[in-house]
Amino acid sequence: MNSTTAFPYQVPFIDHCQNIQNLSKYSIGMIISDVGKFWKYYSVKFPNNPNIKNVTSADVRDYLIQLDQKEHLSKKTINKYLSYLKKYFIFLAENNLIESYPLFTLKGISFKRRETVIVNWMPYISNFLNKSIHPETMKLLIVISLGYDLDQLLDVRWSDVSNKIKNSKLKNFLSDNLNFEKTPNPYIFQGKRVAKYTSIDRITSKTKLDQKIFDFPINPRKLRQSYILSIISNKELSDEQLLSKLHISSKSLSYYKFCANYYHLVPYKDCIK
């Protein structure tokens, strides 16, 4: 157990397994080992801010896919690992260490194995200008398409993007939906009482209302993933060019290249009716 990668709330979780669930030393060792491996995987996937409160069912699902495709574990073993992770997240949720239990919808190895990801939607953002879409959704599409990651999202200002937006309609839209009264350089995601949003959840609460209009997921994480896979699917770019353009680590690049080969990538132009 001592060689296991440390993960959030490890000590109280071990205590819970020992004293509340009365699990054997062997069972606890297996559980702690797998949770540690998952946390190591997640920390590589989100190196700048690996926060246990942000883990989603999609993150765990991707981890299970890696166990299947890279480690070639049996279905029985993968499902056992999933049961260990469920124990951990139930513990976190019951003790209010996370806001809610994230794995309600995640089933065992029988889940759909080859996820479809819509890519290369970036050139088509202006097509949505004439639809009844919340301004925050358009802002999110624009900012993600310029390569900003989730850690940067809330800190992006007008001066950061004004010269990068080549489409005049999108630039005018963004300018028209920002308040320049208090500052000539406002944040893109402005708060009413404060200078900027303090949580990405504020953005998500607005954009989810527009999901029915889109053929691809528009929550920040999925958009960022789709953007990265769009760039990585360009076979003309070398690893050095990808690292420079995406500003990610070599480990993250390896992970996303794996995803690009494993997922079913569909260009957005093929979805346009």
Side-chain angles (χ1 to χ4, degrees):
M1 225 182 289
N2 293 333
S3 62
T4 301
T5 301
F7 55 86
Y9 306 108
Q10 178 171 324
V11 173
F13 179 56
I14 293 175
D15 182 68
H16 170 80
C17 291
Q18 289 175 334
N19 301 318
I20 303 300
Q21 297 213 325
N22 296 314
L23 299 178
S24 69
K25 185 175 181 180
Y26 174 79
S27 295
I28 295 172
M30 294 294 291
I31 294 170
I32 299 307
S33 175
D34 182 54
V35 176
K37 289 176 183 177
F38 168 75
W39 184 247
K40 182 178 181 180
Y41 156 84
Y42 184 79
S43 297
V44 170
K45 187 177 179 182
F46 298 103
N48 295 326
N49 184 28
N51 189 331
I52 195 65
K53 294 182 179 180
N54 294 333
V55 173
T56 67
S57 61
D59 297 322
V60 175
R61 180 182 182 280
D62 288 345
Y63 174 65
L64 299 182
I65 289 173
Q66 294 240 113
L67 294 179
D68 175 29
Q69 295 297 309
K70 285 195 170 183
E71 299 189 30
H72 307 293
L73 300 184
S74 68
K75 292 182 180 180
K76 181 179 179 180
T77 299
I78 294 173
N79 286 335
K80 182 168 63 176
Y81 280 17
L82 174 58
S83 70
Y84 295 161
L85 290 171
K86 286 185 174 182
K87 283 182 181 294
Y88 174 60
F89 282 102
I90 288 172
F91 162 77
L92 295 178
E94 288 181 342
N95 288 275
N96 298 314
L97 300 173
I98 56 176
E99 292 183 8
S100 60
Y101 177 67
L103 306 183
F104 279 117
T105 60
L106 188 60
K107 306 299 182 184
I109 199 64
S110 60
F111 58 71
K112 182 182 177 183
R113 305 296 291 279
R114 189 167 159 84
E115 181 177 347
T116 296
V117 178
I118 308 300
V119 296
N120 294 316
W121 45 266
M122 297 83 77
Y124 301 92
I125 298 175
S126 61
N127 291 1
F128 298 105
L129 284 174
N130 296 325
K131 299 180 183 293
S132 300
I133 294 176
H134 197 284
E136 304 303 273
T137 300
M138 292 300 300
K139 290 179 182 180
L140 181 63
L141 291 168
I142 293 170
V143 173
I144 293 292
S145 75
L146 294 175
Y148 291 97
D149 63 33
L150 301 192
D151 291 330
Q152 300 170 314
L153 210 57
L154 302 180
D155 294 319
V156 180
R157 292 175 176 263
W158 169 248
S159 63
D160 296 323
V161 301
S162 58
N163 293 327
K164 296 179 182 178
I165 303 173
K166 305 307 179 184
N167 186 299
S168 60
K169 291 182 179 179
L170 291 179
K171 186 172 183 177
N172 291 336
F173 171 87
L174 197 56
S175 177
D176 291 343
N177 284 277
L178 292 176
N179 185 346
F180 293 90
E181 293 181 3
K182 295 182 179 180
T183 172
N185 189 28
Y187 289 99
I188 301 303
F189 295 101
Q190 294 172 295
K192 290 185 178 180
R193 296 188 180 135
V194 293
K196 63 176 182 177
Y197 286 176
T198 57
S199 170
I200 290 180
D201 291 341
R202 289 283 307 279
I203 302 173
T204 306
S205 67
K206 305 286 181 65
T207 59
K208 68 181 181 181
L209 302 176
D210 296 327
Q211 182 59 73
K212 61 182 179 297
I213 299 174
F214 292 82
D215 294 314
F216 52 91
I218 57 170
N219 68 69
R221 286 193 179 205
K222 284 295 186 180
L223 276 180
R224 172 65 178 170
Q225 178 197 52
S226 175
Y227 168 79
I228 291 175
L229 294 180
S230 298
I231 304 302
I232 287 179
S233 63
N234 183 348
K235 303 301 183 182
E236 296 180 0
L237 297 178
S238 66
D239 283 2
E240 290 73 18
Q241 290 173 312
L242 290 172
L243 289 170
S244 175
K245 185 174 182 64
L246 295 172
H247 304 291
I248 58 177
S249 67
S250 296
K251 287 185 177 180
S252 292
L253 178 61
S254 296
Y255 164 75
Y256 283 114
K257 289 184 76 173
F258 160 74
C259 291
N261 289 323
Y262 182 74
Y263 292 156
H264 179 46
L265 304 185
V266 177
Y268 177 68
K269 66 179 181 179
D270 294 345
C271 301
I272 300 175
K273 299 179 177 66

